[in-house]
Amino acid sequence: MAPFLDASSFSTHQFVGSKSLTTGSFSSVVVRSAMQTGSPVASDSLRRRAAPVASASPRFASASPRFASASPHARGGLGGGGRRSTFREDVGHAAAETYLVTRLAFILLRYLGVGYRWMSQLLALIIYAILLMPGFIRVGYYYFFSRQVCRSVVYGEQPRNRLDLYIPRDNTKSSPVVAFVTGGAWIIGYKAWGALLGRRLAERGIIVACIDYRNFPQGTISDMVSDASDGISFVCDTVASYGGDPNQIYLMGQSAGAHIAACALLEQAAKESRGEPISWSATQIKAYFGLSGGYNIQNLVDHFHERGLYRSIFLSIMEGEESLPRFSPEIAAKKSNPETIALLPQIVLLHGTDDHSIPSSASEIFVGVLKQAGAKAKLLLYEGKTHTDVFLQDPLRGGKDQLVEDVISVIHADDAVAREKDALAPIPERLVAEWQIKLARQISPF
């Protein structure tokens, strides 16, 4: 979860005259500003945001096969047999996306205003990143230069519809696959945030697809869920060409990504139970892993507001207060019919008990609701762990990575040979000194 914006830093008057911010009014403001920047991508993308968001699900069935036939070979995955993207091409793409996102961020900040707490949170984030920089540099080197990473595979037509693939060295047999949706407070999510997890799982024989998606204000929650669903569909359709086993596909999300992935999974199961056209089936997913996620958004509005994610901004991300139940997987599960619940895979929720960004009670309650509805669900709590300990600080320490071990124990549960290899797996090296990790943990704005 990103450091939240301070609620006390600005008022709704700073957004749109004297009116409270609404999804439509803020989107219109952003559209006008984006059009003034002269960015055709921003203008086209945001012009649609001014209109009420409609479900994009009908296009899934026809969209995925087209990308499935083109993308693996066009982008040249390690198993795709085509041309690999060059470092220069990836840098160019990253620069273009960074330019667009930066422009949108400044448009957003122009109406937010800047307050003391927001600046203190930003400063804490910068110091936090500097302290962990030795590890980030090494992971970044792996990300850009390893032959086992296939970056920016195109999976859809929308901005940021790309994913990164982390491929195991041993490709003598088909590998299990994890489709991973990264977090970022619905505002700063990016596929590269999953590089460390991707590397660790690939080293244990598992392909990882880190799915990027539009963030706010480039898109709102329905866009994010739509993008994630398209990415999952692409993985289901094409992973065999990268050496993946289409019968062993797992879905995982962290923080906001856990929420988005859960929304996509429940939405897909509901459509399937109603007999609507789908491009991937919930039954293709063997298990869902939700790390540090929030699943009842309606109950978290006040918590996020206190943490600095201003209510008006959050409601704009979620397309208004009336949409909160729709995008709350916990509420959706309560309302789901038995046919929908029966389509869901095993659900494993993981959460640190000292998480202040999203309290662990969010996962505890969701597991209870799922079990009551008849779903297969379990909860793993990490005592004393914060929002980023399990996902970032602990892996940078080296040694046994409890998150990786817990995920692998589910994926390799029925593979005796893989479990034998797991027992002999080398221990990951330390990437950051202990004093830096401990200090970063104290300073962390998460």
Side-chain angles (χ1 to χ4, degrees):
M1 179 68 67
F4 293 145
L5 299 169
D6 179 15
S8 64
S9 300
F10 40 81
S11 68
T12 53
H13 296 272
Q14 291 175 279
F15 283 89
V16 187
S18 60
K19 294 182 179 180
S20 298
L21 178 66
T22 64
T23 304
S25 62
F26 180 69
S27 297
S28 300
V29 170
V30 175
V31 169
R32 290 195 299 272
S33 300
M35 294 175 68
Q36 291 169 4
T37 67
S39 170
V41 179
S43 300
D44 179 66
S45 174
L46 288 170
R47 187 177 294 112
R48 295 182 301 100
R49 299 280 1 104
V53 179
S55 172
S57 57
R59 67 183 175 85
F60 289 167
S62 61
S64 292
R66 180 171 69 256
F67 299 125
S69 63
S71 297
H73 300 285
R75 292 295 302 174
L78 297 178
R83 181 180 69 83
R84 285 179 62 92
S85 61
T86 66
F87 176 73
R88 183 174 182 178
E89 289 171 339
D90 285 328
V91 169
H93 166 66
E97 290 291 340
T98 301
Y99 173 79
L100 173 59
V101 172
T102 301
R103 277 295 182 93
L104 293 173
F106 276 108
I107 292 167
L108 180 62
L109 289 175
R110 177 178 166 189
Y111 292 94
L112 290 180
V114 177
Y116 167 76
R117 182 163 177 200
W118 192 93
M119 291 301 295
S120 65
Q121 291 276 59
L122 178 61
L123 180 60
L125 178 61
I126 292 171
I127 297 173
Y128 174 82
I130 291 173
L131 286 168
L132 300 180
M133 191 57 66
F136 293 160
I137 290 173
R138 296 178 69 175
V139 174
Y141 183 85
Y142 168 83
Y143 177 75
F144 281 109
F145 297 106
S146 173
R147 295 289 297 176
Q148 306 312 123
V149 182
C150 187
R151 300 178 303 276
S152 295
V153 177
V154 178
Y155 71 77
E157 296 177 319
Q158 298 299 328
R160 297 187 64 172
N161 277 188
R162 289 170 170 79
L163 56 83
D164 296 328
L165 287 166
Y166 298 82
I167 313 292
R169 291 185 183 277
D170 182 6
N171 57 2
T172 56
K173 69 170 187 174
S174 295
S175 303
V177 183
V178 172
F180 180 65
V181 184
T182 60
W186 303 274
I187 295 174
I188 60 169
Y190 187 58
K191 57 188 173 66
W193 299 168
L196 187 54
L197 178 67
R199 177 179 181 176
R200 292 287 183 253
L201 291 178
E203 289 171 347
R204 304 289 285 273
I206 298 167
I207 293 176
V208 179
C210 290
I211 300 170
D212 206 7
Y213 54 91
R214 285 169 286 176
N215 286 196
F216 185 80
Q218 193 177 20
T220 54
I221 186 61
S222 61
D223 297 314
M224 301 176 203
V225 174
S226 172
D227 287 351
S229 188
D230 277 358
I232 297 164
S233 176
F234 177 88
V235 170
C236 291
D237 289 342
T238 69
V239 75
S241 65
Y242 294 97
D245 184 348
N247 296 314
Q248 291 193 75
I249 298 175
Y250 299 81
L251 177 61
M252 184 173 183
Q254 186 263 339
S255 190
H259 166 252
I260 293 167
C263 285
L265 180 63
L266 279 161
E267 181 182 80
Q268 201 71 2
K271 290 177 184 176
E272 192 170 355
S273 69
R274 294 192 297 264
E276 297 178 16
I278 55 173
S279 63
W280 61 278
S281 169
T283 60
Q284 289 177 274
I285 308 300
K286 290 201 68 174
Y288 163 79
F289 301 97
L291 174 61
S292 307
Y295 307 100
N296 190 326
I297 300 302
Q298 197 167 37
N299 287 349
L300 288 170
V301 175
D302 291 339
H303 173 77
F304 290 155
H305 183 80
E306 292 172 3
R307 292 282 296 170
L309 182 53
Y310 199 31
R311 188 188 313 275
S312 295
I313 292 296
F314 185 68
L315 291 179
S316 290
I317 295 171
M318 295 296 153
E319 299 171 8
E321 194 165 358
E322 66 281 358
S323 295
L324 295 179
R326 175 189 169 194
F327 295 109
S328 292
E330 180 187 311
I331 296 176
K334 286 181 181 178
K335 295 180 177 179
S336 294
N337 57 43
E339 291 76 18
T340 298
I341 297 298
L343 294 171
L344 295 177
Q346 177 186 8
I347 293 176
V348 182
L349 301 186
L350 314 101
H351 219 123
T353 60
D354 203 22
D355 189 332
H356 299 296
S357 294
I358 301 178
S360 58
S361 59
S363 291
E364 295 178 47
I365 295 171
F366 189 34
V367 159
V369 168
L370 288 167
K371 287 181 176 179
Q372 189 172 5
K376 296 170 290 185
K378 70 176 181 178
L379 173 67
L380 296 177
L381 292 176
Y382 299 107
E383 193 64 34
K385 298 297 183 180
T386 67
H387 195 67
T388 54
D389 276 342
V390 179
F391 185 67
L392 190 55
Q393 280 100 260
D394 287 353
L396 290 174
R397 270 194 177 92
K400 183 179 180 180
D401 187 331
Q402 193 58 56
L403 171 64
V404 169
E405 298 301 327
D406 287 336
V407 170
I408 287 177
S409 69
V410 175
I411 296 176
H412 288 165
D414 300 322
D415 190 336
V417 175
R419 291 200 306 273
E420 289 179 8
K421 290 183 178 179
D422 290 338
L424 301 173
I427 297 175
E429 63 180 330
R430 176 181 285 275
L431 301 179
V432 179
E434 185 64 21
W435 72 267
Q436 290 174 275
I437 291 176
K438 287 183 176 179
L439 185 55
R441 189 180 191 273
Q442 294 298 317
I443 294 174
S444 172
F446 300 104

